[in-house]
Amino acid sequence: MIYKSDLSFFRINHKKKITEALKKLSLINPPILFVVNNKNNFVGTVTDGDIRRHILLNNDLSVNLEKLVNKKPLICNYRDLKKKIYYEKILNQNNLKGIPVLKSKKI
């Protein structure tokens, strides 16, 4: 398991297949991927749980991540970083794996 603060490890293109996301998720902690489009703009998040639910319902590993991305995750605006304690509390209360911090649609 790799613990990284470098966000490039957590970033994945929305056109990638589920199998590529699973490989990345097995190497990072927390197991959450920030899905971006071709312009590197934030699209949403994908977790190991999202993929498991998709497999159980559809039994299809060949689809792109754009089919199962959570497009409305809880996000933190870059200007709101002063509320760090608030976001840490939300993480713990809701058992979330991470909250993306966005600045101009970028992670």
Side-chain angles (χ1 to χ4, degrees):
M1 190 80 49
I2 298 174
Y3 297 85
K4 284 282 188 180
S5 59
D6 177 11
L7 288 180
S8 64
F9 241 179
F10 292 89
R11 202 174 295 141
I12 191 165
N13 186 281
H14 69 294
K15 295 289 185 186
K16 297 291 184 183
K17 302 286 184 199
I18 291 175
T19 51
E20 288 188 54
L22 285 171
K23 288 176 190 173
K24 272 192 120 167
L25 285 167
S26 69
L27 296 174
I28 58 175
N29 191 15
I32 184 171
L33 292 173
F34 303 122
V35 182
V36 295
N37 62 17
N38 293 335
K39 293 181 180 180
N40 221 21
N41 290 332
F42 180 75
V43 175
T45 60
V46 170
T47 65
D48 53 341
D50 296 328
I51 294 174
R52 276 195 311 271
R53 282 186 289 279
H54 171 80
I55 291 169
L56 288 172
L57 289 172
N58 303 297
N59 199 23
D60 185 4
L61 293 174
S62 66
V63 299
N64 296 342
L65 289 177
E66 64 190 345
K67 300 289 184 191
L68 63 135
V69 64
N70 176 4
K71 293 182 180 177
K72 294 188 179 188
L74 176 65
I75 60 168
C76 172
N77 189 299
Y78 182 75
R79 294 184 204 127
D80 291 342
L81 283 179
K82 294 175 186 170
K83 300 177 184 175
K84 182 180 177 186
I85 294 171
Y86 166 75
Y87 284 107
E88 286 175 352
K89 188 175 179 180
I90 289 176
L91 269 172
N92 293 329
Q93 286 177 342
N94 296 296
N95 201 24
L96 298 174
K97 296 177 180 176
I99 299 175
V101 178
L102 301 183
K103 183 178 183 180
S104 300
K105 298 183 184 178
K106 306 275 187 205
I107 294 185

